[in-house]
Amino acid sequence: LACALALGARGGPSESKKTAPATAGSPEAAAPAQLPVPAGPPVRGDWLVIHSLADPENLNPLTSNDAGASAVLGWIFPSLVRIDQNTLALEPLLARELPEVSPSRLAYTYRLREDVSFSDGKLLSAEDVVFTIKAIRHPLVNAAPLRNYYNSVADAIVVDPHTVRISLGEVYFLNDWQLGGISPIPRHY
């Protein structure tokens, strides 16, 4: 208690220092001293720092199934659609719009945004989505936890460079979320 009172009586660290007043037009006058001044728009290569409760076991989006990896991979490989946390409605993310669903619910057509690129600068294409689905379904890829959700997929085809059609063998009640939850990986890599 005596130490706390002694420190409190000394005053703050800035009381002993006198600084020159900021002049009009200087960065110090434009922003409060305790807040950093933005340096401009973000540039490629900027950092994202997140707190994680566990280290990811691996960062392969097809074979990882732990919470630590999911938290990181969600930032690296976003999905075609996402769930709005306030309304719980699906909304497009990598897709331009929600998919066009056939009346039989056995075909989903996704139109991809044309302004999305991977970290190496190559643009996302429908071929990347088809490649991802085929990789998930391939028996030699250790993607068993993920593969189970795509058992109803009969085929995935490229309609044009930014459109993919996924055909299903049967209706599955979670297809809106599961198919939209595909996180495309780069085919060229």
Side-chain angles (χ1 to χ4, degrees), residues 131-154:
F131 171 75
T132 303
I133 293 170
K134 289 183 177 185
I136 290 169
R137 293 184 42 88
H138 196 284
L140 296 179
V141 176
N142 189 19
L146 195 56
R147 186 178 302 119
N148 187 46
Y149 295 107
Y150 300 98
N151 283 337
S152 64
V153 174

Side-chain angles (χ1 to χ4, degrees), residues 65-148:
N65 63 356
D66 62 294
S70 295
V72 173
L73 289 170
W75 290 99
I76 300 172
F77 298 103
S79 58
L80 299 177
V81 300
R82 72 178 195 95
I83 292 180
D84 182 311
Q85 296 300 315
N86 294 323
T87 64
L88 300 180
L90 291 177
E91 57 184 31
L93 188 58
L94 293 181
R96 281 190 299 203
E97 59 208 19
L98 292 178
E100 177 185 318
V101 182
S102 69
S104 65
R105 303 201 55 85
L106 292 175
Y108 284 69
T109 303
Y110 288 91
R111 289 172 183 76
L112 306 175
R113 290 176 33 200
E114 297 179 21
D115 62 341
V116 177
S117 62
F118 292 102
S119 61
D120 62 1
K122 299 227 183 212
L123 292 175
L124 170 70
S125 72
E127 288 186 10
D128 297 312
V129 177
V130 170
F131 171 75
T132 303
I133 293 170
K134 289 183 177 185
I136 290 169
R137 293 184 42 88
H138 196 284
L140 296 179
V141 176
N142 189 19
L146 195 56
R147 186 178 302 119
N148 187 46

